[in-house]
Amino acid sequence: MKPMLNRALAALMLVGLPLSAHAEDTPVSIRMDGAVALQASLLAEGTLNEAQVQVVKDVAHQKAAVLTCEGFAIDDARFASVFQTSYPSDAEFDAMDEAAQIQLRAVMMLVMGTFLGGDIAIAAADPEAWCASAAEEKAQADLPNRIWAD
């Protein structure tokens, strides 16, 4: 599907959601997270697969906690290891033409920025609750794509 068509369909899907999805009792953080995820998926379309998008989302979320909350830090070795899983191997990357390499790097930056900015905005709505939730996540030793330092 063409990206322009997908954007039009995405807008229609949001408009067509049941009223309960837009209801005031749906936490603003849930609505914001959905909007951010939709935009990131549109940006990633045709360049990144779902697994790559999930890695970028997880990394951005953890980085947002570091920037927003006390007591969080990034383990550089974990970060390098996890983030590398979202990129093709060196041989695969080298086999791409220059335009595809630039496209991949640009889309990775845009998707990372979308998720990071979105998480920081969501955290700003209720920093105490958001940081408490992040602390609960950090306590999970088996957190997928974990980059936080212990």
Side-chain angles (χ1 to χ4, degrees):
M1 230 186 266
K2 304 266 188 228
M4 197 63 152
L5 178 59
N6 283 339
R7 285 185 180 88
L9 289 174
L12 288 174
M13 290 187 315
L14 282 175
V15 170
L17 287 174
L19 288 178
S20 63
H22 297 290
E24 288 182 20
D25 60 342
T26 302
V28 68
S29 61
I30 300 298
R31 294 191 312 258
M32 290 173 71
D33 188 59
V36 168
L38 176 62
Q39 290 305 311
S41 69
L42 292 172
L43 290 168
E45 186 178 347
T47 303
L48 304 178
N49 62 39
E50 287 182 38
Q52 290 170 304
V53 171
Q54 188 62 52
V55 169
V56 174
K57 181 179 183 179
D58 292 344
V59 166
H61 176 72
Q62 292 173 77
K63 181 62 177 176
V66 169
L67 296 171
T68 306
C69 309
E70 295 290 324
F72 289 84
I74 299 294
D75 179 306
D76 291 335
R78 284 182 183 164
F79 172 79
S81 176
V82 168
F83 201 68
Q84 181 139 7
T85 66
S86 65
Y87 269 91
S89 69
D90 289 344
E92 292 168 329
F93 186 80
D94 290 343
M96 299 167 72
D97 64 35
E98 184 179 6
Q101 291 176 350
I102 291 169
Q103 173 73 12
L104 175 64
R105 288 179 175 144
V107 169
M108 289 292 281
M109 286 190 302
L110 287 169
V111 172
M112 175 67 80
T114 299
F115 281 127
L116 181 59
D119 271 336
I120 290 171
I122 292 166
D126 188 350
E128 187 175 316
W130 195 86
C131 291
S133 177
E136 289 175 13
E137 290 175 41
K138 185 181 177 192
Q140 299 172 19
D142 61 345
L143 185 70
N145 302 315
R146 182 186 179 92
I147 63 167
W148 280 319
D150 294 325

